[in-house]
């Protein structure tokens, strides 16, 4: 049964970092352990972490990405993309094992459809993959849940070295006939591309993909502009807001209070550059 948000959102959990690793040039993986009770969570949901640095406390949202849903719900994992000069990036990428965070949640409507869709389309760019990992693990664990469901993941990355969870997704693809994977490389294809590797963006060919707006469902996660572009195509295919759930990885509006004046033009330049790169060049999410 789904956790009732109103019952649990006020609880502040504490957790400490117990493991981390670099999983791509721009992405880190983190594993935390709750200092107390288990953390309620349904695959697809996110928590708000409160971090603390020399300028005080600040909050950032992160999707839980763990694929082990059985051994203990006192652990959670995050995959985090580096944002240059980002406050949480700085905190997380420099954190020592044992570092403590506070967190509240779970939040989010990006959940597996109930009842299952005939075809479930998952679209993500880069770390937008995070909420889909526990969902895929849940589908794999419960064969009845996928009885009538075909799941197609369209994942957008810049280059082969940014294809995170490659081994996990490839193994899932070979083991589960209900799972289909297409990866879109916006800047550079692998040296030996597979038939499910494509150059370009996750929107490529989406207007031709066999989809039924009545029976099928779509979940979109990651770069806000990608989410809008994909949603626009799905709308033109007859999908409505009830059959498409969108989670945009919008960044926090707050910046370092004491640096707002001095860095605002740099921040704007960074943002402009990201938007320009998305709009004209590689349309990925980081
Ligand atoms: C529901 C939700 C779930 C999320 N889940 C994840 C997740 O699982 N993994 C993950 O990596 N992130 C996730 N995010 C994004 C995350 O919350 C932070 O915004 C991100 O990590 C950047 O935080 P920061 O403190 O490092 O950067 P900030 O200090 O917030 O930003 C530094 C500067 O960079 C700009 N900036 C920040 N992010 C971007 C960006 N993406 N593109 C362009 N400019 C930017 C800011 O405007 C600011 O000027 C999620 C966001 C939401 C809303």
């Amino acid at each position: 049964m789904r956790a009732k948000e109103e019952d649990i959102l006020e609880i502040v959990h504490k957790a400490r970092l117990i493991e981390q690793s670099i999983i791509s040039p721009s992405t880190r993986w983190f594993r935390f352990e709750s200092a107390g009770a288990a953390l309620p969570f349904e695959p697809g949901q996110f928590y708000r972490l409160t971090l603390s640095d020399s300028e005080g406390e600040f909050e950032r949202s992160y999707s839980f990405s763990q694929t082990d849903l059985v051994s203990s719900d006192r652990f959670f994992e995050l995959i985090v993309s580096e944002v240059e000069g980002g406050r949480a990036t700085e905190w997380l990428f420099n954190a020592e094992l044992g570092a403590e965070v506070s967190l509240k949640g779970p939040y989010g409507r990006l959940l597996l459809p109930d009842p299952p869709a005939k075809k479930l389309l998952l679209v993500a760019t880069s770390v937008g993959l995070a909420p889909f990992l526990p969902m895929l693990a849940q589908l794999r664990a419960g064969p009845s849940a996928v009885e009538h469901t075909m799941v197609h993941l369209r994942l957008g990355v810049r280059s082969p070295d940014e294809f995170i969870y490659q081994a996990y997704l490839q193994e899932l693809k070979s083991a589960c006939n209900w799972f289909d994977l297409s990866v879109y490389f916006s800047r550079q294809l692998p040296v030996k591309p597979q038939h499910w590797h494509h150059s370009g963006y996750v929107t490529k060919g989406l207007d031709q993909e066999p989809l039924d707006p009545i029976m099928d469902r779509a979940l979109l996660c990651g770069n806000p502009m990608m989410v809008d572009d994909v949603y626009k195509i799905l709308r033109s295919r007859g999908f409505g807001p009830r059959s498409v759930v969108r989670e945009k990885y919008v960044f926090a509006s707050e910046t370092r209070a004491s640096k707002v004046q001095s860095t605002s033009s740099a921040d704007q330049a960074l943002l402009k550059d990201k938007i320009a790169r998305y709009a004209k060049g590689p349309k990925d999410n980081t």
Side-chain angles (χ1 to χ4, degrees), residues 46 58 60-64 79-81 83-90 127 130-131 247-252 254-255 267-268 270-271 274 285-286:
F46 67 93
F58 61 100
R60 295 290 184 271
S61 300
Y62 292 100
S63 304
F64 278 8
I79 45 175
V80 180
S81 181
V83 169
E84 218 180 306
R87 201 172 170 186
T89 301
E90 226 166 83
V127 288
E247 186 159 277
K248 298 181 179 182
Y249 278 2
V250 286
F251 41 86
E254 61 143 324
T255 51
D267 286 346
Q268 278 169 15
L270 173 66
L271 185 56
K274 291 257 183 184
N285 76 328
T286 50

Side-chain angles (χ1 to χ4, degrees), residues 116 137-149 178:
Q138 179 166 313
L139 287 172
R140 188 174 197 173
S144 60
V146 293
E147 225 166 44
H148 304 291
T149 306
W178 50 266

Side-chain angles (χ1 to χ4, degrees), residues 123-125 152-159 181-190 196-206 209 284:
V123 187
T125 42
H152 182 191
L153 171 65
R154 282 177 168 251
L155 174 65
V157 297
R158 275 186 290 218
S159 48
L181 173 67
S182 307
V183 183
Y184 296 81
F185 296 88
S186 58
R187 290 189 190 170
Q188 185 198 337
L189 268 171
W196 45 275
H197 290 160
H198 308 273
S199 61
Y201 312 128
V202 285
T203 45
K204 192 173 181 176
L206 188 57
E209 176 153 342
D284 44 4

Side-chain angles (χ1 to χ4, degrees), residues 31-199:
R31 183 167 161 84
F32 289 84
E33 180 177 19
S34 167
L39 296 163
F41 158 70
E42 183 159 347
Q45 291 186 306
F46 67 93
Y47 269 70
R48 289 202 184 112
L49 270 65
T50 301
L51 306 172
S52 179
D53 63 14
S54 58
E55 287 161 32
E57 291 192 339
F58 61 100
E59 268 193 5
R60 295 290 184 271
S61 300
Y62 292 100
S63 304
F64 278 8
S65 62
Q66 57 268 33
T67 52
D68 178 358
L69 304 175
V70 286
S71 48
S72 171
D73 43 11
R74 290 187 59 252
F75 297 95
F76 65 92
E77 295 173 19
L78 309 179
I79 45 175
V80 180
S81 181
E82 181 175 18
V83 169
E84 218 180 306
R87 201 172 170 186
T89 301
E90 226 166 83
W91 194 99
L92 286 163
F93 281 44
N94 293 305
E96 310 232 321
L97 296 187
E100 206 173 80
V101 298
S102 301
L103 67 164
K104 277 210 292 190
Y107 301 94
R109 294 185 314 111
L110 193 85
L111 303 168
L112 283 167
D114 184 13
K118 188 164 166 241
K119 176 171 178 174
L120 177 62
L121 176 67
L122 309 175
V123 187
T125 42
S126 179
V127 288
L129 174 66
F132 297 144
L133 292 167
M135 284 186 194
L136 291 168
Q138 179 166 313
L139 287 172
R140 188 174 197 173
S144 60
V146 293
E147 225 166 44
H148 304 291
T149 306
M150 178 73 206
V151 182
H152 182 191
L153 171 65
R154 282 177 168 251
L155 174 65
V157 297
R158 275 186 290 218
S159 48
D161 58 356
E162 294 289 353
F163 180 6
I164 52 175
Y165 283 81
Q166 178 167 356
Y168 181 82
L169 293 172
Q170 267 184 258
E171 193 277 327
L172 191 68
K173 184 172 154 58
S174 346
C176 303
N177 59 8
W178 50 266
F179 179 60
D180 193 16
L181 173 67
S182 307
V183 183
Y184 296 81
F185 296 88
S186 58
R187 290 189 190 170
Q188 185 198 337
L189 268 171
V191 179
K192 289 184 183 160
Q194 306 287 315
H195 66 91
W196 45 275
H197 290 160
H198 308 273
S199 61

